[in-house]
Amino acid sequence: METPLLNRSIVSLFFLFIIIFQPSFSAEQCNPKDKRVLLRMKRALKNPSVLDSWDPSTDCCNEWNSVTCNHETHRVNSLTISGGLQGQIPRQIGDLSFLETLVLLKHRNLGGSIPPTISRLKRLSYLTISSTNISGPIPNFLGQMRRLRSIDLSYNALSGPIPSSLALIPNLTSLHLNRNKLTGPIPASFGQFSGSDFDLHLSHNQLSGRIPASLGNKLDFNDVNLSRNRLEGDASFLFGRRKRIRALDLSRNMLQFELSKVRFPRTLTWLDLNHNRINGTLPAGLTKLNFQMLNVSYNRLCGSIPLGGELQRLGYTSYFHNSCLCGAPLGGCK
C-alpha cells in the first residue's frame, strides 16, 4: 500500500521534471545569426511598421511575420514582405545564407538598385522584386545563381539591356521582366533556356530589333509575352505544330510576316497579334484550336475569316481594322 510520503515524493519528482525540462520545450528555434541579420535589416529600413513583429525578445521562426524557417535546421529559408518598405534593399540580406525564397512585393517607396550582396544567396530558388521603384540595370550576377527557378523583376524601373547570361541558369522556368524600361534586343541566348514549360514575359519595355530566331528552337515555351515593345521583322518561327506553347502575345510591335503560312500548335489557346504589320490570310487551321482569346486586329490581313471552331464566337473586335478581312463576325465578303 502506497504511503502519503511516497505520493508526495512522486508529485515532487513530477514537478522537478517539468522545471528541469521546461526550457527545452519553449527554447527559441530561430538561429542567432539569422536573427541578428534580420534585426540589422530592420534598422537599415528605419524600423517600418510592417516589421513590427520583429521583436528581439521573440522567436523569429514562430512569431515574426514574413519569415519562415526550415523545420529541421531552423535556418531562415523564406522572406516574403508585401507593402510598407521604403529606402533601399539592405545589403545585409546577402547574409541570410540559407534563404531559398525572397519576395519583396508592392513597395513603391523602395528604390535604389538590386544590391550585389544578393549574389551570395547560393541556395536561392525563387526571386521576386516586383512593383517597386528599384532602378538601374538587371545585374549580371543573376546568371551565376545556378539554383534559381523563377525570377520576377516586373513592374519596376529597371533600365539597360537584358543580360544574356540569364539563359545559363539551368533550372530556370519563369522569367518576368515586364513593365520596366529595358532597351536593346532580346538576347539570342534566350533560345537556350533548358527549363521546361517556360514562361517568358518581356512586355511593356523599349526592346527593339528582331526577335532572335533561336527562340524558335525551344519547343516547350508555355507562355510568351513580348507585347508593347519596338520589335520588328519575322515572328512566324515561334509557331509550329511540334511546339507546346499555350499563350503568345506579340501585340503592339512592328512585326511583319505572312500569317497564311503559319502552322499552329494544338496547345495554343491565347493569341494576340494586334497592332502589327502582319499580312496574308487567316489559315483554316485556326478553326481546330480551342481559343479562349484571339486578336488579330489592326494588321494588314485579307480574305475571308474561316468558318468553324471559336472564330465566329470571338466577336468583331478580334478582327477589325485590317486591310480587307471579311466574313462573320465582320461584314460579308464582296
Side-chain angles (χ1 to χ4, degrees), residues 49 52 72 113 132 152 159 167 175 180 252 271 277 291-292 297:
S49 58
D52 279 350
E72 295 179 359
S113 59
T132 75
D152 184 352
S159 59
L175 179 61
N180 280 285
R252 295 183 181 270
L271 177 62
R277 300 170 183 174
F291 279 115
Q292 299 174 16
S297 64

Side-chain angles (χ1 to χ4, degrees), residues 101-327:
T101 298
L102 172 60
V103 177
L104 302 176
L105 183 64
K106 296 182 179 179
H107 303 285
R108 285 302 180 188
N109 294 317
L110 189 66
S113 59
I114 298 174
T117 53
I118 284 182
S119 65
R120 301 207 298 261
L121 301 176
K122 301 302 183 184
R123 291 176 170 82
L124 198 66
S125 295
Y126 300 94
L127 173 62
T128 296
I129 302 173
S130 179
S131 298
T132 75
N133 200 31
I134 293 293
S135 59
I138 297 173
N140 281 306
F141 65 69
L142 292 180
Q144 302 167 14
M145 300 179 69
R146 313 298 281 177
R147 292 197 181 184
L148 280 173
R149 302 182 68 86
S150 172
I151 299 175
D152 184 352
L153 302 178
S154 61
Y155 291 85
N156 293 306
L158 297 168
S159 59
I162 300 174
S164 61
S165 60
L166 296 179
L168 301 176
I169 305 173
N171 297 311
L172 194 68
T173 59
S174 180
L175 179 61
H176 288 207
L177 305 178
N178 47 301
R179 292 187 183 264
N180 280 285
K181 300 175 182 179
L182 302 173
T183 56
I186 298 172
S189 62
F190 276 22
Q192 302 171 17
F193 285 119
S194 56
S196 59
D197 295 324
F198 203 97
D199 288 350
L200 178 64
H201 287 203
L202 306 179
S203 69
H204 294 80
N205 280 291
Q206 300 165 29
L207 301 175
S208 58
R210 302 175 73 88
I211 298 173
S214 60
L215 266 66
N217 298 330
K218 187 167 176 60
L219 301 178
D220 55 357
F221 276 121
N222 174 60
D223 186 343
V224 176
N225 191 337
L226 308 180
S227 66
R228 293 180 183 264
N229 281 291
R230 300 170 184 172
L231 302 171
E232 58 188 22
D234 190 14
S236 61
F237 49 80
L238 295 175
F239 302 94
R241 284 178 176 162
R242 295 176 58 220
K243 305 288 180 66
R244 299 201 294 270
I245 192 166
R246 181 189 60 82
L248 179 61
D249 190 343
L250 302 176
S251 63
R252 295 183 181 270
N253 282 290
M254 298 179 286
L255 299 171
Q256 187 171 1
F257 59 93
E258 187 175 345
L259 195 61
S260 321
K261 299 179 180 180
V262 169
R263 298 295 178 263
F264 296 94
R266 293 187 176 275
T267 53
L268 190 65
T269 61
W270 184 288
L271 177 62
D272 196 344
L273 301 176
N274 81 78
H275 285 84
N276 278 289
R277 300 170 183 174
I278 301 168
N279 55 34
T281 60
L282 291 180
L286 291 173
T287 62
K288 299 178 181 179
L289 302 181
N290 186 25
F291 279 115
Q292 299 174 16
M293 189 275 189
L294 171 67
N295 192 339
V296 295
S297 64
Y298 290 91
N299 278 290
R300 300 173 180 177
L301 298 169
C302 273
S304 60
I305 299 171
L307 291 173
E310 304 291 331
L311 299 193
Q312 279 64 51
R313 179 188 64 80
L314 292 167
Y316 171 82
T317 57
S318 292
Y319 307 102
F320 70 166
H321 290 283
N322 272 286
S323 297
C324 46
L325 202 58
C326 61

Side-chain angles (χ1 to χ4, degrees), residues 48-98:
S49 58
V50 70
L51 303 182
D52 279 350
S53 65
W54 292 19
D55 185 335
S57 65
T58 58
D59 185 356
C60 77
C61 288
N62 295 314
E63 301 180 57
W64 290 16
N65 294 334
S66 308
V67 177
T68 305
C69 299
N70 181 283
H71 294 302
E72 295 179 359
T73 66
H74 307 302
R75 301 302 298 263
V76 173
N77 64 358
S78 176
L79 187 61
T80 302
I81 307 175
S82 298
L85 300 184
Q86 56 184 341
Q88 299 187 11
I89 300 174
R91 58 180 177 78
Q92 293 90 344
I93 200 165
D95 295 327
L96 294 173
S97 55
F98 283 75

